Amino acid sequence: MTFKQAAVLAPVSFFLGILFICFHVDYKLLWGELNEDVVADGFSFYATFFNSPPAIKALLHGMIGVGVLGLVAKLHKWDDSAMFFDGSSLGVYVFAIAVYTAVICPTMKTVVIPLEEDTYSDRLEAVRVLAAANVIIMICLGLLLTLQAGQVYAKRLEVQAAEEGTKAVEKEKKDQ
């Protein structure tokens, strides 16, 4: 594994770990029976996230940057593998960042610091949208890991085919 690949896999794995922790609450909000305890757990859980120290938020945003830099660095070597696998991975990662900035950040504010005109049902809808956005990002990051694994697999097949071709050429020369 190269440094560039590690710069992609480490942030993705880090975020998947965080999202799997969130999934404990998200699952109940999306697919479980909604009752006061589940909703209160959701509000409390996301309030804790929202009110975390700035150092934690800086770490999260820094890891987003490391992932982008890793993908751009891998894309810098413009070959077929980079074009298909890394280009697609960058697109998926940018989509996940867009979901984070367009859905999760504003929705967390609605859940934790509601406006005067926000009702309880608005906050409940917001926390469920937040949970759905987390699931969408989990799917994106899973797809990104699959693309990176596919790239490694394709490279191994390419090396194996080249070795077989070399052996076949050497065998032909030896037979002549």
Short mmCIF file of all heavy atoms in Angstrom, two decimals, residues 95-150:
data_model
loop_
_atom_site.label_atom_id
_atom_site.label_comp_id
_atom_site.label_asym_id
_atom_site.label_seq_id
_atom_site.Cartn_x
_atom_site.Cartn_y
_atom_site.Cartn_z
N PHE A 95 -19.24 14.07 -3.39
CA PHE A 95 -20.67 13.97 -3.14
C PHE A 95 -20.94 13.80 -1.63
O PHE A 95 -21.84 14.43 -1.08
CB PHE A 95 -21.29 12.80 -3.91
CG PHE A 95 -22.75 12.62 -3.66
CD1 PHE A 95 -23.68 13.47 -4.23
CD2 PHE A 95 -23.21 11.60 -2.83
CE1 PHE A 95 -25.03 13.33 -3.98
CE2 PHE A 95 -24.55 11.44 -2.57
CZ PHE A 95 -25.48 12.31 -3.15
N ALA A 96 -20.14 12.97 -0.96
CA ALA A 96 -20.30 12.78 0.48
C ALA A 96 -20.03 14.09 1.23
O ALA A 96 -20.76 14.42 2.18
CB ALA A 96 -19.37 11.67 0.98
N ILE A 97 -19.03 14.84 0.79
CA ILE A 97 -18.74 16.14 1.42
C ILE A 97 -19.90 17.10 1.18
O ILE A 97 -20.28 17.88 2.07
CB ILE A 97 -17.42 16.72 0.89
CG1 ILE A 97 -16.24 15.86 1.35
CG2 ILE A 97 -17.22 18.16 1.34
CD1 ILE A 97 -14.92 16.21 0.69
N ALA A 98 -20.47 17.05 -0.01
CA ALA A 98 -21.61 17.92 -0.32
C ALA A 98 -22.81 17.58 0.57
O ALA A 98 -23.51 18.48 1.05
CB ALA A 98 -21.99 17.79 -1.79
N VAL A 99 -23.06 16.31 0.79
CA VAL A 99 -24.15 15.91 1.69
C VAL A 99 -23.86 16.40 3.10
O VAL A 99 -24.75 16.91 3.79
CB VAL A 99 -24.36 14.37 1.66
CG1 VAL A 99 -25.32 13.93 2.76
CG2 VAL A 99 -24.88 13.93 0.31
N TYR A 100 -22.61 16.30 3.52
CA TYR A 100 -22.24 16.78 4.85
C TYR A 100 -22.48 18.28 4.99
O TYR A 100 -23.09 18.72 5.96
CB TYR A 100 -20.77 16.45 5.13
CG TYR A 100 -20.22 17.09 6.36
CD1 TYR A 100 -20.58 16.63 7.62
CD2 TYR A 100 -19.35 18.17 6.29
CE1 TYR A 100 -20.09 17.24 8.77
CE2 TYR A 100 -18.85 18.78 7.42
CZ TYR A 100 -19.23 18.31 8.67
OH TYR A 100 -18.75 18.90 9.80
N THR A 101 -22.01 19.05 4.02
CA THR A 101 -22.13 20.51 4.15
C THR A 101 -23.55 21.01 3.89
O THR A 101 -23.97 21.98 4.51
CB THR A 101 -21.15 21.23 3.19
OG1 THR A 101 -21.40 20.80 1.86
CG2 THR A 101 -19.73 20.96 3.58
N ALA A 102 -24.27 20.37 2.98
CA ALA A 102 -25.60 20.87 2.61
C ALA A 102 -26.71 20.32 3.49
O ALA A 102 -27.76 20.96 3.62
CB ALA A 102 -25.89 20.54 1.15
N VAL A 103 -26.50 19.15 4.08
CA VAL A 103 -27.58 18.54 4.86
C VAL A 103 -27.22 18.44 6.34
O VAL A 103 -27.97 18.90 7.20
CB VAL A 103 -27.93 17.13 4.30
CG1 VAL A 103 -28.99 16.47 5.14
CG2 VAL A 103 -28.37 17.23 2.86
N ILE A 104 -26.09 17.84 6.65
CA ILE A 104 -25.80 17.53 8.05
C ILE A 104 -25.53 18.79 8.88
O ILE A 104 -26.10 18.95 9.96
CB ILE A 104 -24.62 16.54 8.14
CG1 ILE A 104 -25.09 15.18 7.61
CG2 ILE A 104 -24.11 16.42 9.56
CD1 ILE A 104 -24.05 14.11 7.63
N CYS A 105 -24.70 19.69 8.38
CA CYS A 105 -24.38 20.89 9.17
C CYS A 105 -25.62 21.73 9.48
O CYS A 105 -25.86 22.06 10.65
CB CYS A 105 -23.31 21.71 8.46
SG CYS A 105 -21.71 20.91 8.46
N PRO A 106 -26.44 22.10 8.48
CA PRO A 106 -27.63 22.90 8.82
C PRO A 106 -28.66 22.13 9.64
O PRO A 106 -29.31 22.70 10.52
CB PRO A 106 -28.23 23.27 7.46
CG PRO A 106 -27.28 22.87 6.43
CD PRO A 106 -26.28 21.96 7.04
N THR A 107 -28.79 20.83 9.38
CA THR A 107 -29.78 20.05 10.11
C THR A 107 -29.39 19.89 11.57
O THR A 107 -30.25 19.88 12.45
CB THR A 107 -29.95 18.66 9.44
OG1 THR A 107 -30.23 18.86 8.06
CG2 THR A 107 -31.07 17.89 10.06
N MET A 108 -28.10 19.76 11.84
CA MET A 108 -27.66 19.68 13.24
C MET A 108 -28.02 20.95 13.99
O MET A 108 -28.41 20.88 15.16
CB MET A 108 -26.15 19.43 13.30
CG MET A 108 -25.84 18.02 13.61
SD MET A 108 -24.28 17.94 14.46
CE MET A 108 -23.85 16.30 14.06
N LYS A 109 -27.91 22.09 13.34
CA LYS A 109 -28.29 23.34 13.99
C LYS A 109 -29.78 23.35 14.30
O LYS A 109 -30.20 23.83 15.35
CB LYS A 109 -27.92 24.53 13.11
CG LYS A 109 -26.46 24.84 13.09
CD LYS A 109 -26.16 26.06 12.27
CE LYS A 109 -24.66 26.31 12.22
NZ LYS A 109 -24.33 27.47 11.38
N THR A 110 -30.58 22.83 13.38
CA THR A 110 -32.02 22.77 13.61
C THR A 110 -32.35 21.85 14.78
O THR A 110 -33.25 22.14 15.56
CB THR A 110 -32.75 22.28 12.34
OG1 THR A 110 -32.44 23.15 11.26
CG2 THR A 110 -34.25 22.23 12.55
N VAL A 111 -31.63 20.75 14.90
CA VAL A 111 -31.88 19.80 15.98
C VAL A 111 -31.45 20.38 17.32
O VAL A 111 -32.18 20.29 18.31
CB VAL A 111 -31.17 18.46 15.70
CG1 VAL A 111 -31.21 17.55 16.91
CG2 VAL A 111 -31.78 17.77 14.50
N VAL A 112 -30.27 20.97 17.36
CA VAL A 112 -29.69 21.38 18.64
C VAL A 112 -30.12 22.80 19.04
O VAL A 112 -30.44 23.05 20.20
CB VAL A 112 -28.15 21.28 18.58
CG1 VAL A 112 -27.53 21.73 19.88
CG2 VAL A 112 -27.74 19.85 18.28
N ILE A 113 -30.11 23.72 18.08
CA ILE A 113 -30.47 25.11 18.37
C ILE A 113 -31.67 25.47 17.49
O ILE A 113 -31.52 26.14 16.46
CB ILE A 113 -29.30 26.06 18.09
CG1 ILE A 113 -28.03 25.59 18.78
CG2 ILE A 113 -29.63 27.47 18.53
CD1 ILE A 113 -26.79 26.35 18.37
N PRO A 114 -32.86 25.03 17.85
CA PRO A 114 -34.02 25.32 17.00
C PRO A 114 -34.38 26.80 17.04
O PRO A 114 -34.16 27.49 18.04
CB PRO A 114 -35.13 24.46 17.61
CG PRO A 114 -34.72 24.24 19.02
CD PRO A 114 -33.22 24.27 19.03
N LEU A 115 -34.91 27.26 15.93
CA LEU A 115 -35.42 28.63 15.88
C LEU A 115 -36.74 28.70 16.63
O LEU A 115 -37.35 27.67 16.95
CB LEU A 115 -35.61 29.06 14.43
CG LEU A 115 -34.35 29.07 13.55
CD1 LEU A 115 -34.72 29.38 12.10
CD2 LEU A 115 -33.34 30.08 14.08
N GLU A 116 -37.19 29.89 16.89
CA GLU A 116 -38.44 30.05 17.64
C GLU A 116 -39.62 29.42 16.92
O GLU A 116 -40.53 28.91 17.54
CB GLU A 116 -38.70 31.54 17.91
CG GLU A 116 -37.69 32.17 18.84
CD GLU A 116 -37.88 33.66 18.97
OE1 GLU A 116 -38.88 34.19 18.47
OE2 GLU A 116 -37.01 34.29 19.58
N GLU A 117 -39.60 29.48 15.59
CA GLU A 117 -40.74 28.95 14.83
C GLU A 117 -40.64 27.45 14.57
O GLU A 117 -41.57 26.85 14.03
CB GLU A 117 -40.91 29.70 13.50
CG GLU A 117 -39.73 29.60 12.56
CD GLU A 117 -38.74 30.74 12.71
OE1 GLU A 117 -38.85 31.56 13.61
OE2 GLU A 117 -37.83 30.79 11.88
N ASP A 118 -39.52 26.82 14.95
CA ASP A 118 -39.37 25.36 14.77
C ASP A 118 -40.16 24.62 15.84
O ASP A 118 -39.95 24.84 17.04
CB ASP A 118 -37.90 24.95 14.85
CG ASP A 118 -37.12 25.33 13.62
OD1 ASP A 118 -37.74 25.52 12.57
OD2 ASP A 118 -35.88 25.44 13.73
N THR A 119 -41.04 23.75 15.39
CA THR A 119 -41.83 22.96 16.32
C THR A 119 -41.12 21.65 16.63
O THR A 119 -40.08 21.33 16.02
CB THR A 119 -43.22 22.65 15.71
OG1 THR A 119 -43.04 21.85 14.54
CG2 THR A 119 -43.96 23.93 15.36
N TYR A 120 -41.71 20.89 17.54
CA TYR A 120 -41.15 19.58 17.88
C TYR A 120 -41.14 18.68 16.65
O TYR A 120 -40.17 17.95 16.43
CB TYR A 120 -41.97 18.96 19.01
CG TYR A 120 -41.52 17.57 19.38
CD1 TYR A 120 -40.41 17.38 20.19
CD2 TYR A 120 -42.20 16.45 18.92
CE1 TYR A 120 -39.98 16.12 20.53
CE2 TYR A 120 -41.78 15.18 19.25
CZ TYR A 120 -40.68 15.02 20.05
OH TYR A 120 -40.26 13.75 20.38
N SER A 121 -42.19 18.73 15.85
CA SER A 121 -42.23 17.89 14.65
C SER A 121 -41.17 18.31 13.64
O SER A 121 -40.63 17.46 12.92
CB SER A 121 -43.63 17.91 14.02
OG SER A 121 -43.96 19.21 13.59
N ASP A 122 -40.84 19.59 13.58
CA ASP A 122 -39.76 20.05 12.70
C ASP A 122 -38.42 19.48 13.17
O ASP A 122 -37.61 19.04 12.36
CB ASP A 122 -39.67 21.58 12.68
CG ASP A 122 -40.84 22.25 12.00
OD1 ASP A 122 -41.49 21.57 11.17
OD2 ASP A 122 -41.10 23.43 12.29
N ARG A 123 -38.20 19.50 14.48
CA ARG A 123 -36.96 18.95 15.02
C ARG A 123 -36.89 17.44 14.81
O ARG A 123 -35.82 16.90 14.50
CB ARG A 123 -36.84 19.27 16.50
CG ARG A 123 -36.59 20.73 16.77
CD ARG A 123 -36.44 21.02 18.24
NE ARG A 123 -35.22 20.42 18.74
CZ ARG A 123 -35.07 20.00 19.98
NH1 ARG A 123 -36.05 20.09 20.85
NH2 ARG A 123 -33.93 19.47 20.37
N LEU A 124 -38.04 16.77 14.95
CA LEU A 124 -38.08 15.32 14.73
C LEU A 124 -37.77 14.99 13.27
O LEU A 124 -36.98 14.09 12.98
CB LEU A 124 -39.46 14.76 15.11
CG LEU A 124 -39.69 13.28 14.83
CD1 LEU A 124 -38.71 12.43 15.62
CD2 LEU A 124 -41.12 12.91 15.15
N GLU A 125 -38.36 15.75 12.37
CA GLU A 125 -38.06 15.55 10.94
C GLU A 125 -36.59 15.83 10.65
O GLU A 125 -35.94 15.11 9.88
CB GLU A 125 -38.96 16.44 10.09
CG GLU A 125 -38.77 16.24 8.61
CD GLU A 125 -39.66 17.14 7.78
OE1 GLU A 125 -40.63 17.71 8.32
OE2 GLU A 125 -39.38 17.28 6.57
N ALA A 126 -36.06 16.87 11.28
CA ALA A 126 -34.66 17.22 11.06
C ALA A 126 -33.72 16.12 11.54
O ALA A 126 -32.74 15.79 10.85
CB ALA A 126 -34.33 18.54 11.76
N VAL A 127 -33.99 15.53 12.70
CA VAL A 127 -33.11 14.48 13.20
C VAL A 127 -33.22 13.23 12.33
O VAL A 127 -32.24 12.50 12.13
CB VAL A 127 -33.37 14.19 14.70
CG1 VAL A 127 -34.60 13.34 14.92
CG2 VAL A 127 -32.16 13.54 15.34
N ARG A 128 -34.38 12.98 11.76
CA ARG A 128 -34.52 11.83 10.86
C ARG A 128 -33.82 12.10 9.52
O ARG A 128 -33.21 11.20 8.94
CB ARG A 128 -35.99 11.50 10.63
CG ARG A 128 -36.63 10.97 11.93
CD ARG A 128 -38.01 10.50 11.74
NE ARG A 128 -37.93 9.15 11.19
CZ ARG A 128 -38.95 8.53 10.63
NH1 ARG A 128 -40.12 9.13 10.55
NH2 ARG A 128 -38.80 7.31 10.14
N VAL A 129 -33.86 13.33 9.04
CA VAL A 129 -33.11 13.70 7.83
C VAL A 129 -31.61 13.58 8.09
O VAL A 129 -30.85 13.10 7.24
CB VAL A 129 -33.48 15.13 7.36
CG1 VAL A 129 -32.52 15.65 6.32
CG2 VAL A 129 -34.90 15.15 6.82
N LEU A 130 -31.20 13.98 9.26
CA LEU A 130 -29.79 13.85 9.66
C LEU A 130 -29.37 12.38 9.67
O LEU A 130 -28.30 12.03 9.16
CB LEU A 130 -29.59 14.48 11.04
CG LEU A 130 -28.23 14.45 11.67
CD1 LEU A 130 -27.22 15.16 10.79
CD2 LEU A 130 -28.28 15.11 13.04
N ALA A 131 -30.20 11.52 10.20
CA ALA A 131 -29.91 10.09 10.21
C ALA A 131 -29.83 9.53 8.79
O ALA A 131 -28.95 8.73 8.46
CB ALA A 131 -30.97 9.35 11.03
N ALA A 132 -30.75 9.96 7.93
CA ALA A 132 -30.74 9.49 6.54
C ALA A 132 -29.48 9.97 5.81
O ALA A 132 -28.89 9.23 5.02
CB ALA A 132 -31.99 9.97 5.81
N ALA A 133 -29.07 11.21 6.08
CA ALA A 133 -27.85 11.73 5.46
C ALA A 133 -26.63 10.93 5.91
O ALA A 133 -25.73 10.66 5.11
CB ALA A 133 -27.68 13.21 5.80
N ASN A 134 -26.61 10.54 7.16
CA ASN A 134 -25.50 9.70 7.65
C ASN A 134 -25.46 8.37 6.92
O ASN A 134 -24.39 7.88 6.57
CB ASN A 134 -25.63 9.46 9.15
CG ASN A 134 -25.22 10.65 9.98
OD1 ASN A 134 -24.55 11.55 9.49
ND2 ASN A 134 -25.63 10.67 11.22
N VAL A 135 -26.62 7.79 6.68
CA VAL A 135 -26.67 6.51 5.96
C VAL A 135 -26.20 6.70 4.51
O VAL A 135 -25.45 5.87 3.97
CB VAL A 135 -28.09 5.90 6.01
CG1 VAL A 135 -28.21 4.70 5.11
CG2 VAL A 135 -28.43 5.52 7.45
N ILE A 136 -26.59 7.79 3.89
CA ILE A 136 -26.14 8.08 2.52
C ILE A 136 -24.62 8.21 2.48
O ILE A 136 -23.96 7.67 1.57
CB ILE A 136 -26.84 9.35 1.98
CG1 ILE A 136 -28.32 9.06 1.73
CG2 ILE A 136 -26.17 9.84 0.69
CD1 ILE A 136 -29.15 10.29 1.43
N ILE A 137 -24.05 8.91 3.44
CA ILE A 137 -22.60 9.06 3.47
C ILE A 137 -21.92 7.72 3.72
O ILE A 137 -20.88 7.43 3.14
CB ILE A 137 -22.18 10.12 4.50
CG1 ILE A 137 -22.63 11.50 4.03
CG2 ILE A 137 -20.68 10.11 4.74
CD1 ILE A 137 -22.36 12.62 4.99
N MET A 138 -22.51 6.89 4.57
CA MET A 138 -21.95 5.54 4.80
C MET A 138 -21.92 4.74 3.50
O MET A 138 -20.93 4.05 3.21
CB MET A 138 -22.76 4.79 5.85
CG MET A 138 -22.53 5.25 7.26
SD MET A 138 -23.61 4.43 8.44
CE MET A 138 -23.00 2.78 8.39
N ILE A 139 -22.97 4.84 2.73
CA ILE A 139 -23.02 4.14 1.44
C ILE A 139 -21.94 4.69 0.50
O ILE A 139 -21.24 3.92 -0.17
CB ILE A 139 -24.42 4.24 0.82
CG1 ILE A 139 -25.42 3.44 1.67
CG2 ILE A 139 -24.43 3.77 -0.62
CD1 ILE A 139 -26.87 3.69 1.33
N CYS A 140 -21.79 6.00 0.46
CA CYS A 140 -20.75 6.61 -0.38
C CYS A 140 -19.36 6.15 0.02
O CYS A 140 -18.53 5.81 -0.83
CB CYS A 140 -20.83 8.14 -0.30
SG CYS A 140 -22.24 8.86 -1.13
N LEU A 141 -19.08 6.13 1.31
CA LEU A 141 -17.76 5.72 1.78
C LEU A 141 -17.53 4.23 1.54
O LEU A 141 -16.41 3.82 1.24
CB LEU A 141 -17.58 6.09 3.25
CG LEU A 141 -17.58 7.60 3.56
CD1 LEU A 141 -17.44 7.84 5.04
CD2 LEU A 141 -16.51 8.33 2.78
N GLY A 142 -18.57 3.43 1.67
CA GLY A 142 -18.45 2.02 1.33
C GLY A 142 -18.15 1.82 -0.13
O GLY A 142 -17.33 0.97 -0.51
N LEU A 143 -18.80 2.62 -0.99
CA LEU A 143 -18.52 2.56 -2.43
C LEU A 143 -17.08 2.99 -2.70
O LEU A 143 -16.40 2.37 -3.54
CB LEU A 143 -19.49 3.45 -3.19
CG LEU A 143 -19.30 3.58 -4.69
CD1 LEU A 143 -19.42 2.21 -5.37
CD2 LEU A 143 -20.31 4.55 -5.28
N LEU A 144 -16.61 4.00 -2.00
CA LEU A 144 -15.23 4.45 -2.19
C LEU A 144 -14.24 3.35 -1.82
O LEU A 144 -13.28 3.10 -2.54
CB LEU A 144 -14.99 5.69 -1.33
CG LEU A 144 -13.77 6.51 -1.69
CD1 LEU A 144 -14.06 7.97 -1.45
CD2 LEU A 144 -12.56 6.10 -0.91
N LEU A 145 -14.50 2.65 -0.71
CA LEU A 145 -13.62 1.54 -0.33
C LEU A 145 -13.67 0.43 -1.38
O LEU A 145 -12.65 -0.18 -1.69
CB LEU A 145 -14.02 0.99 1.04
CG LEU A 145 -13.65 1.83 2.25
CD1 LEU A 145 -14.17 1.16 3.52
CD2 LEU A 145 -12.17 2.06 2.33
N THR A 146 -14.85 0.18 -1.91
CA THR A 146 -14.99 -0.84 -2.95
C THR A 146 -14.22 -0.46 -4.21
O THR A 146 -13.55 -1.30 -4.83
CB THR A 146 -16.48 -1.06 -3.29
OG1 THR A 146 -17.18 -1.39 -2.09
CG2 THR A 146 -16.67 -2.16 -4.31
N LEU A 147 -14.28 0.82 -4.59
CA LEU A 147 -13.52 1.28 -5.75
C LEU A 147 -12.01 1.15 -5.52
O LEU A 147 -11.27 0.74 -6.43
CB LEU A 147 -13.88 2.73 -6.09
CG LEU A 147 -15.23 2.95 -6.75
CD1 LEU A 147 -15.60 4.42 -6.71
CD2 LEU A 147 -15.21 2.44 -8.18
N GLN A 148 -11.56 1.47 -4.33
CA GLN A 148 -10.13 1.35 -4.04
C GLN A 148 -9.69 -0.11 -4.03
O GLN A 148 -8.61 -0.45 -4.51
CB GLN A 148 -9.81 2.02 -2.70
CG GLN A 148 -9.98 3.53 -2.71
CD GLN A 148 -9.10 4.22 -3.74
OE1 GLN A 148 -7.90 4.06 -3.73
NE2 GLN A 148 -9.70 4.99 -4.62
N ALA A 149 -10.53 -0.98 -3.50
CA ALA A 149 -10.22 -2.42 -3.53
C ALA A 149 -10.23 -2.93 -4.96
O ALA A 149 -9.39 -3.75 -5.34
CB ALA A 149 -11.22 -3.20 -2.68
N GLY A 150 -11.15 -2.45 -5.77
CA GLY A 150 -11.19 -2.83 -7.18
C GLY A 150 -9.94 -2.39 -7.92
O GLY A 150 -9.44 -3.10 -8.80
#
